[in-house]
Amino acid sequence: MSQNNFFRGSIYHCVEKNGNLNPIYFDDGLMVVDNETGRIVDVGSFSDLTSTWDTSNNLIHFQDRLIMPGFVDTHVHYPQYKVIASYGTNLLEWLNKYTYLEEQRFSDEDYANQIANLFLDELIKNGTTTVMTFCASFKQSVDAFFSASEKRNLRMVAGKVMMDRNAPEGLCDNSDDSYLDSKELIEKWHNKGRLSYAVTPRFAPTSSKSQLEQASKLLKEYPDSDGKKGVLLQTHMNENGEEIEWVKKLFPESKNYFGVYDDHGITGNNCVFGHCIHNTAEEYQRIAETGSKVALCPTSNLFLGSGLFELEKLESHGIDVSIASDVGGGDSFSMFQVMNGAYKVCRMNDFNLDPVKAFYLTTLGAAKVLNMDDCIGNFEVEKEADFIVVDLNATEIISQKNRISSNITDTLFNLMTLGDDRLIDEVYIMGQRTFKK
Ligand code: GUN
Ligand code: ZN
């Protein structure tokens, strides 16, 4: 019989039933994790569960700590680890001045390995346990990321950037090579342990029509089948005014930016569109009709001055949304800070992002965007035990504020407003501790 580990402390997570969010909080809770499978066996209040479970062995008691699901970041660029905090540019200038130069360094496998490991260290110490990341356009940049993730037993999604025009020659592939390289990487990594592949055309301006068609072909060649998940797709859309004008010139036959992807067969519930700030009414409708997913990137949009997304509008169309860091356009790895940014963007639209929703958008809702809500995102039985232990007294001001919280929602709001990596005390992956501050 396999052995269980017991984690006692305050526990917060959120379940979704018939489209409604149901926040669940145990002031003195217990989570039971199967040590062999790393999956959740039971969760509830300590006093209720002690009649079921003998906790006299293998019990860890976290005092003044909150156990929560690990964060899921649905849009980030690991090769931009050192691009973060680049001064004084809008999106297109920033790409040319900083980003493309740095990404060229990822043709060097050793460099890619080094940055992949630094990036994963930074994620974990910020409590982020799963990401979907863009790699660079070199195959070896993908191998580096997946190898480093596999060693740490992380659930991760990544893909080789496809770009065959309008970028420095050293970064461009061509549509045949990008198809073949992506296919080779899918065969090598997709559904290997906890890893998944995302077909990754960077954004419409850097792909020819033929490359977008190749991306669509890959999606069709690797659909969900026999209980195995198909590949995902990640790209950017409607982030910046100049970018949108450029897309109109490059693809005059398409109705709008989303139309470019739609016309080339790369929309649907396995496709995640980053940003989606400046959507037209038709685009909102079509994103919804196709079941496509959205990753909003508040800290990046503020840092690059790209604009203010409209969360309410996306949700009123029934679109599945998440919020994401978009490092290195985003200026923080901390999903607390990403929620803080999202709250402020919503305030600019005179709308309140409540903390239960904010944490949903960085955990279960984000898992849903990646079609992974069956295995991560909350503490339902049988899910993988990727969780974080939050120190409720990590800073004086957070401690003072939490002492006057009237309920868990107040505490969550303190965390998302004032929090950062200082709050993350421990991180567990599949029930095993991988980080202790
Ligand atoms: N659009 C195309 N490439 C990028 C990128 O690397 N970052 C962001 N924020 N937007 C993009
Ligand atoms: Zn991005």
Side-chain angles (χ1 to χ4, degrees), residues 77 80 91 94-95 99 103 202-203 236 239 275 300 304 326 329:
H77 300 251
Q80 295 174 16
L91 172 66
W94 173 86
L95 284 171
T99 309
E103 289 190 13
R202 181 174 209 119
F203 66 155
H236 297 86
E239 178 177 1
H275 300 283
S300 168
L304 294 173
D326 193 29

Side-chain angles (χ1 to χ4, degrees), residues 184-214:
E184 187 185 318
L185 289 163
I186 292 168
E187 295 286 340
K188 185 167 175 186
W189 294 110
H190 184 59
N191 286 330
K192 183 164 190 230
R194 303 186 80 202
L195 308 176
S196 309
Y197 195 85
V199 176
T200 308
R202 181 174 209 119
F203 66 155
T206 49
S207 285
S208 62
K209 287 173 72 67
S210 133
Q211 186 166 65
L212 296 177
E213 279 155 17
Q214 302 281 41

Side-chain angles (χ1 to χ4, degrees), residues 201-265:
R202 181 174 209 119
F203 66 155
T206 49
S207 285
S208 62
K209 287 173 72 67
S210 133
Q211 186 166 65
L212 296 177
E213 279 155 17
Q214 302 281 41
S216 165
K217 192 168 162 203
L218 288 166
L219 281 189
K220 292 196 184 92
E221 284 171 355
Y222 296 95
D224 292 348
S225 74
D226 300 333
K228 290 254 178 208
K229 286 180 188 169
V231 294
L232 293 162
L233 177 137
Q234 58 183 342
T235 190
H236 297 86
M237 185 174 79
N238 283 335
E239 178 177 1
N240 162 290
E242 259 180 75
E243 170 211 18
I244 294 166
E245 289 310 308
W246 194 19
V247 169
K248 275 186 199 152
K249 286 199 189 105
L250 292 169
F251 297 91
E253 62 288 358
S254 291
K255 256 192 190 162
N256 46 44
Y257 202 153
F258 189 72
V260 174
Y261 297 129
D262 216 359
D263 293 345
H264 292 88

